[in-house]
Amino acid sequence: DIQMTQSPSSLSASVGDRVTITCRASQSIGTYLLWHQHKPGKAPKVLIYAASNLQFGVPSRFSGSGSGTDFTLTITSLQPEDVATYYCQQAFSVPYTFGQGTKLEIK
Amino acid sequence: QVQLQQWGAGLLKPSETLSLTCAVSGGPFSGYFWSWIRQSPGKGLEWIGESTPSENTNYNPSLKSRVTISIDRSKSQFSLRVDSVTAADTAVYYCVRGPTGWESHWGPGTLVTVSS
């Protein structure tokens, strides 16, 4: 199985801050990488697919980058509604695997 | 906008069979991957398995011997069956279109508790 390692596991930032979450795959996955946002009590939601493509309807303050083994999710100006846990996921090969999650809070 | 509605028994005893169904509306059923993913309390996300556009199935080796995913195209539904459940199968179970790309979309989730 491909292991996905996210960092940090938790993060506290202020409204308006730039936030960066990183994800590393245990082997090259090209750009077969998705980012999911999970708010408590709600279904997860896809933010980014193919490493850098913004899902329809997702605010432009979210962006993704990377290829191969190293990937980044960036929020350029943190908003209160961005409080959630963020997961990366590889779609290169089954079993699809997820990072352990990054819990984002407002300072 | 595609919508996924899921249902099934929420409380099971050890050794019973978990059975969940997901109904798809607002979009085509054919041509997509359909997956089940779960999240155990306090833990991360675990992909259980999928039905492919050609109606093949792939399963997570960690669960493969106990899991069956089936499709009913006439009803635009897909189902999950997990045999011989234990407390370790307690989780929120999500039906998902994908998750492989732009088409990925999550259902609302169903909490399944296994307890004697």
Side-chain angles (χ1 to χ4, degrees):
Chain A
D1 299 2
I2 297 175
Q3 305 303 313
M4 306 299 292
T5 304
Q6 267 181 253
S7 62
S9 57
S10 64
L11 176 57
S12 181
S14 299
V15 173
D17 281 356
R18 180 185 180 94
V19 170
T20 299
I21 299 169
T22 63
C23 178
R24 174 165 289 178
S26 61
Q27 67 182 73
S28 179
I29 58 171
T31 58
Y32 288 89
L33 192 282
L34 293 84
W35 288 98
H36 304 270
Q37 178 191 60
H38 192 187
K39 297 182 179 181
K42 292 196 167 184
K45 170 185 169 183
V46 175
L47 298 176
I48 302 285
Y49 64 93
S52 61
N53 294 88
L54 197 65
Q55 182 71 305
F56 180 77
V58 173
S60 59
R61 63 181 180 273
F62 290 92
S63 65
S65 64
S67 66
T69 60
D70 294 306
F71 302 88
T72 300
L73 174 69
T74 301
I75 308 172
T76 53
S77 178
L78 185 66
Q79 299 301 305
E81 60 266 32
D82 299 335
V83 169
T85 300
Y86 293 83
Y87 296 91
C88 61
Q89 174 234 322
Q90 64 83 15
F92 179 78
S93 66
V94 294
Y96 305 133
T97 47
F98 294 83
Q100 78 276 20
T102 296
K103 187 173 184 179
L104 177 57
E105 298 175 333
I106 299 291
K107 197 181 290 183
Chain B
Q1 172 78 358
V2 66
Q3 292 190 357
L4 279 63
Q5 180 183 0
Q6 56 182 106
W7 65 88
L11 180 60
L12 297 172
K13 290 181 167 50
S15 80
E16 292 185 333
T17 297
L18 180 156
S19 182
L20 298 174
T21 298
C22 183
V24 180
S25 60
F29 188 80
S30 296
Y32 292 101
F33 290 81
W34 301 101
S35 291
W36 289 94
I37 293 170
R38 71 181 184 180
Q39 184 170 35
S40 302
K43 296 191 176 180
L45 296 163
E46 179 181 33
W47 178 81
I48 298 169
E50 69 182 0
S51 175
T52 71
S54 57
E55 297 195 33
N56 293 321
T57 51
N58 295 307
Y59 299 117
N60 193 321
S62 67
L63 294 159
K64 184 175 182 178
S65 62
R66 299 191 294 127
V67 170
T68 304
I69 292 174
S70 57
I71 297 285
D72 185 341
R73 293 197 181 280
S74 67
K75 295 182 179 179
S76 294
Q77 294 178 359
F78 63 109
S79 298
L80 171 70
R81 173 188 169 114
V82 180
D83 297 324
S84 304
V85 298
T86 70
D89 294 308
T90 293
V92 176
Y93 287 76
Y94 297 95
C95 59
V96 181
R97 188 174 72 177
T100 50
W102 65 267
E103 77 290 354
S104 302
H105 187 84
W106 295 70
T110 299
L111 174 62
V112 177
T113 301
V114 180
S115 175
S116 55

